[in-house]
């Protein structure tokens, strides 16, 4: 379930007027911007952008960028974008830091539904005049390149049919390939990039039943290179993305320092989808509400905005 609370009777023109007053002249009314944009869904935000442009002849996003700064500006910018454009921007930022951020590309490719991923790839074309796969391929090599490009290029079957015999066969293939770390890694790539998520979950469950531990736990213990770490991220995203995102947030908030980019990414991409479920899981695993954990680590308007998206008012 989503954490975003958006009114059904908003007026794009009135919202645009409030935002214009918030940014005109000296100083910026950040609270007014949060009050509007923090309570509007994706369709409403695009209506506001259009109304703002029609009335004031300027791009709302560019104006917001010029008025805000730091993590607050970055979070607001990514929130206002259409979801596909947002993922395109997140992917491009990750590509520029691909030595450390390839997991973000894996996350996007593995969590989104096939049709959603196709729209993101098209948005990337339009924004950067290159394909997402081309840029990823230029910054990776070997098995890692094959896996990530394969995940991005995949248009998986999205139905519920399962082949139990195939799940058994491919659970064994994954076990042997990961145990030996050579020989059949191309089979790992084939399985992860072509099978439906429903079939893959059946394979992961069969692996757990047959070998007594989860495939992701095996990889967590044995992942010694970027390829196996990427395989681990893909499996976690496909198997249970709520658990994956909870772990991302735990690492972000409980590590040394705070990874604001990771925090922003999870909150802005999941607030309209399933952030409530992720919050509940976070509390169950950490005995602290996600809002309280976030409030301890960040401050200012950035904090107010993320807490608003998390469903906590001030």
């Amino acid at each position: 379930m989503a954490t975003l609370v958006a009114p059904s009777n908003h007026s794009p023109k009135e919202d645009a007027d409030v935002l214009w007053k918030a940014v005109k002249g000296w100083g910026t009314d950040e609270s007014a911007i949060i009050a509007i944009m923090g309570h509007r869904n994706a369709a409403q935000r695009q209506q506001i952008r259009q109304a703002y442009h029609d009335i004031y002849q300027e791009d709302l996003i560019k104006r917001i960028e010029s008025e805000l700064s730091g993590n607050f500006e970055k979070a607001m910018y990514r929130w206002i974008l259409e979801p596909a454009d947002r993922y395109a921007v997140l992917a491009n930022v990750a590509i520029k830091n691909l030595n450390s951020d390839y997991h973000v590309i894996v996350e996007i490719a593995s969590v989104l539904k096939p049709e959603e991923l196709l729209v993101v790839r098209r948005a990337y074309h339009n924004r950067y005049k290159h394909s997402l796969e081309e840029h990823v391929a230029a910054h990776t090599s070997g098995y890692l390149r094959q896996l990530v490009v394969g995940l991005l290029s995949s248009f998986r079957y999205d139905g519920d049919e399962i082949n139990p015999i195939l799940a058994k066969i491919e659970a064994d293939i994954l076990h042997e390939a990961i145990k030996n770390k050579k020989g059949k890694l191309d089979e790992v790539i084939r399985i992860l990039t072509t099978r439906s998520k429903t079939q893959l979950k059946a394979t992961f469950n069969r692996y757990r039943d047959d070998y007594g531990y989860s495939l992701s736990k095996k990889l967590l213990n044995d992942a010694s290179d970027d390829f196996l770490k990427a395989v681990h991220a893909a499996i976690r995203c496909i198997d249970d993305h709520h658990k994956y995102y909870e772990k991302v947030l735990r690492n972000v908030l409980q590590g040394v320092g705070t990874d604001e980019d990771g925090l922003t990414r999870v909150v802005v991409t999941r607030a309209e989808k399933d952030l409530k479920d992720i919050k509940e899981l976070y509390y169950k695993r950490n005995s602290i509400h996600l809002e309280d954990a976030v409030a301890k680590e960040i401050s200012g308007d950035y904090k107010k905005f993320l807490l608003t998206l998390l469903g906590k008012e001030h």
Side-chain angles (χ1 to χ4, degrees), residues 120-139:
V120 170
R121 290 166 61 195
R122 189 174 295 120
Y124 197 97
H125 282 183
N126 295 337
R127 182 173 279 268
Y128 299 109
K129 312 309 176 189
H130 292 272
S131 75
L132 177 52
E133 302 92 313
E134 178 187 358
H135 275 172
V136 168
H139 289 80

Side-chain angles (χ1 to χ4, degrees), residues 17-251:
D17 187 50
V18 171
L19 292 171
W20 181 73
K21 290 174 182 176
V23 299
K24 74 171 184 175
W26 293 103
T28 305
D29 187 349
E30 290 87 353
S31 295
I33 296 173
I34 293 170
I36 296 294
M37 301 310 288
H39 294 95
R40 300 295 184 270
N41 62 36
Q44 292 169 339
R45 296 194 300 274
Q46 301 319 305
Q47 291 169 358
I48 294 168
R49 281 185 70 185
Q50 187 62 54
Y52 188 93
H53 184 270
D54 291 346
I55 298 168
Y56 302 109
Q57 301 300 303
E58 69 174 1
D59 185 346
L60 175 61
I61 284 188
K62 289 183 178 178
R63 186 58 185 264
I64 290 288
E65 280 187 291
S66 70
E67 295 290 334
L68 308 182
S69 62
N71 291 313
F72 178 41
E73 178 273 322
K74 192 180 294 184
M76 184 62 72
Y77 169 75
R78 292 174 180 178
W79 176 246
I80 296 176
L81 289 173
E82 291 187 60
D85 266 342
R86 179 195 304 140
Y87 280 116
V89 169
L90 289 170
N92 187 255
V93 170
I95 287 168
K96 293 174 182 176
N97 302 298
L98 209 54
N99 287 337
S100 58
D101 285 357
Y102 58 82
H103 64 279
V104 176
I105 306 289
V106 173
E107 173 188 310
I108 292 169
S110 303
V111 171
L112 296 183
K113 293 179 179 297
E115 292 289 350
E116 292 173 330
L117 182 57
L118 198 60
V119 175
V120 170
R121 290 166 61 195
R122 189 174 295 120
Y124 197 97
H125 282 183
N126 295 337
R127 182 173 279 268
Y128 299 109
K129 312 309 176 189
H130 292 272
S131 75
L132 177 52
E133 302 92 313
E134 178 187 358
H135 275 172
V136 168
H139 289 80
T140 51
S141 61
Y143 285 126
L144 179 63
R145 174 192 287 167
Q146 292 177 42
L147 174 66
V148 181
V149 171
L151 288 169
L152 288 168
S153 305
S154 178
F155 191 76
R156 302 176 190 275
Y157 170 65
D158 201 28
D160 296 327
E161 283 76 6
I162 292 172
N163 182 332
I165 296 173
L166 185 63
K168 164 63 177 171
I169 292 170
E170 294 191 334
D172 292 341
I173 290 173
L174 290 172
H175 177 72
E176 287 301 314
I178 290 168
K179 181 176 72 173
N180 296 324
K181 297 189 179 66
K182 58 183 179 180
K184 288 190 175 181
L185 295 181
D186 56 333
E187 285 290 272
V188 175
I189 295 169
R190 176 188 64 80
I191 292 167
L192 291 180
T193 60
T194 63
R195 298 302 184 199
S196 72
K197 290 183 180 179
T198 306
Q199 181 66 39
L200 285 171
K201 289 178 182 180
T203 299
F204 302 155
N205 288 337
R206 184 59 189 257
Y207 185 102
R208 189 181 296 110
D209 292 343
D210 286 356
Y211 297 105
Y213 47 81
S214 71
L215 182 53
S216 61
K217 181 168 287 188
K218 171 68 174 173
L219 279 163
L220 186 63
N221 293 334
D222 292 354
S224 56
D225 58 31
D226 287 345
F227 170 70
L228 289 178
K229 290 175 182 175
V231 170
H232 179 253
I235 289 171
R236 285 188 60 85
C237 287
I238 292 166
D239 195 28
D240 190 332
H241 67 269
H242 291 153
K243 289 182 179 178
Y244 168 82
Y245 281 121
E246 184 279 326
K247 183 68 177 293
V248 171
L249 290 169
R250 196 184 337 149
N251 291 341

